[in-house]
Amino acid sequence: MNNDGVLVVGAGIAGLALTLALRQREVAVDLVERAPGADGGLAVNLPGNAVSALIALGVGDQLKQIGRPVGRREYRSATGRLLFGIDEEAFWGPSARSRCVMRSELHTVLAAGLGVEPRAATVQSVKVADGGAEVEFTDGDTGRYGFVVGADGVRSAVRGALFGTAGAKEAVLSAASWRFMAPNPGVDCWVAWSGGAGSVLLLPVDDEQVYVYASATRGGPVGADPSWLGTTFQDYPAPVQAVLRHALDRPETLYHSPVEEIRLPSWTAGRCALIGDAAHATAPIWAEGAALAVEDALVLADELAAGDWDTAGQRYERRRRDRVDHVQAHTDKFSRAAGAPIWLRDLLLPVLGPRSYRAAYGPLRKPGR
């Protein structure tokens, strides 16, 4: 198979966004996904820069029809004491209000503009070649493409083929996490409770349910048995107890997974590039995974539409590197601060917390393109 167009590997948020952006720019593109129809998660928090990027992609009106705006963010101690709060709506502005949505609904919004379903295929190998790249699939099929993009997540087959195992590591703050949905116990904003052993976040996704994310706070173990949740958060306030009771009665609804980061010196090789988590997965402290993925897609689509595919990947990376480095640096800074004794952390957060929020998100209010 010879194809002078772009092959996008992975139909998650990054791959769908890039495919849509390329179709809008009339660049020939094929999309493959090893597990078509999988939604890849439960819910996703979209900070203001993610909303701005999705508006730039042309799906802003559809985005308003799903999920729920996040007007306020609260950080609380393990006993429930408010340490500090952030007026997110005032910070991001009315045109870029943060939003929590079901990941499957966001996938549907992005896929609706494609006109075709992704082809079911799993990449076995990718080799850089003059004027393109040669791809082999696990079913024995092969193809040559003008440009190949790995949008296939933390365990990217494309990254493995191009760069091996370099760059992957456990997140400092927490090596794993638990995620699930539960009936809303009465919270009306983004709210996290944090103690010496763990943190738990509740985020309303609509009027009836909340997305729950639980992890360690100081690099401690996150057991793969659901009992870890009950033990770690047994003395936390009533809203946490309510969602835990619901979840522990339904262990089949719980998702336990490692929290891994990707740090690479380069995201490109010849006419191949990585975007989103495949390039720079980062612990979800600032919830920037989806935002960076869509921003990557917009920038790479612009560069491919501009021509000269021999240097398009390098141009994309030059435009994106500083922004990604900023997010990763502030992720590291927060992770180190979380390792402080809990009494000291709770004492300092009322002052340092709002500063950290502004320092992390302030530069991201500017377009990431």
Side-chain angles (χ1 to χ4, degrees):
M1 180 195 307
N2 289 317
N3 188 321
D4 292 332
V6 178
L7 175 67
V8 177
V9 181
I13 292 172
L16 290 170
L18 177 59
T19 303
L20 179 57
L22 289 171
R23 289 191 182 277
Q24 291 170 345
R25 291 155 178 77
E26 299 183 345
V27 176
V29 56
D30 287 342
L31 175 64
V32 298
E33 166 59 45
R34 62 185 174 185
D39 68 13
L42 298 165
V44 58
N45 185 23
L46 301 173
N49 63 310
V51 173
S52 295
L54 288 163
I55 292 171
L57 188 60
V59 297
D61 290 341
Q62 298 92 317
L63 183 63
K64 293 178 182 177
Q65 306 305 312
I66 62 174
R68 175 171 167 169
V70 181
R72 177 173 168 80
R73 180 181 292 217
E74 293 182 351
Y75 292 82
R76 293 181 176 271
S77 71
T79 62
R81 179 166 61 91
L82 178 65
L83 300 174
F84 71 95
I86 298 291
D87 185 339
E88 290 222 307
E89 186 163 354
F91 182 85
W92 291 106
S95 64
R97 300 169 69 192
S98 299
R99 199 169 194 90
C100 181
V101 304
M102 294 301 293
R103 189 177 292 265
S104 58
E105 291 186 338
L106 179 57
H107 283 206
T108 298
V109 165
L110 294 172
L114 302 184
V116 295
E117 294 291 327
R119 179 165 64 92
T122 301
V123 169
Q124 178 71 34
S125 68
V126 179
K127 295 180 180 178
V128 176
D130 290 341
E134 297 173 352
V135 180
E136 181 180 357
F137 300 94
T138 54
D139 62 3
D141 193 12
T142 60
R144 182 182 177 90
Y145 296 85
F147 202 98
V148 173
V149 181
D152 47 344
V154 175
R155 293 178 176 82
S156 169
V158 177
R159 186 184 68 246
L162 296 174
F163 303 111
T165 59
K169 66 172 188 175
E170 286 186 350
V172 173
L173 184 65
S174 182
S177 69
W178 284 95
R179 296 171 293 139
F180 56 94
M181 305 300 299
N184 192 333
V187 301
D188 61 0
C189 67
W190 187 109
V191 55
W193 294 262
S194 184
S199 291
V200 58
L201 163 69
L202 272 61
L203 181 56
V205 72
D206 55 33
D207 292 338
E208 304 296 331
Q209 58 184 341
V210 291
Y211 172 56
V212 184
Y213 181 92
S215 68
T217 50
R218 303 167 72 179
V222 178
D225 189 290
S227 62
W228 180 87
L229 290 165
T231 300
T232 302
F233 302 110
Q234 59 184 337
D235 296 324
Y236 279 49
V240 176
Q241 299 306 315
V243 298
L244 289 182
R245 284 194 299 271
H246 175 85
L248 293 174
D249 285 342
R250 300 163 181 80
E252 71 280 1
T253 67
L254 297 170
Y255 292 81
H256 178 271
S257 58
V259 181
E260 298 169 302
E261 297 190 321
I262 304 297
R263 307 286 176 96
L264 294 172
S266 177
W267 309 328
T268 61
R271 287 192 176 194
C272 300
L274 304 172
I275 68 171
D277 281 352
H280 44 66
T282 303
I285 289 169
W286 302 109
E288 278 296 307
L292 295 179
V294 179
E295 291 176 355
D296 284 353
L298 291 166
V299 171
L300 183 55
D302 281 346
E303 294 300 344
L304 289 169
D308 189 5
W309 286 7
D310 287 336
T311 63
Q314 297 169 20
R315 301 195 309 268
Y316 143 75
E317 184 168 348
R318 282 197 298 269
R319 290 174 59 183
R320 293 294 297 151
R321 179 61 75 165
D322 286 350
R323 195 167 177 97
V324 171
D325 285 350
H326 168 82
V327 171
Q328 292 182 329
H330 280 271
T331 297
D332 293 344
K333 186 174 182 179
F334 186 98
S335 298
R336 290 191 296 269
I342 193 66
W343 67 267
L344 179 61
R345 192 178 67 194
D346 287 357
L347 179 66
L348 295 177
L349 266 180
V351 174
L352 297 184
R355 292 181 186 174
S356 296
Y357 181 95
R358 290 192 296 269
Y361 282 128
L364 303 182
R365 288 186 289 190
K366 299 178 181 178
R369 303 177 61 192

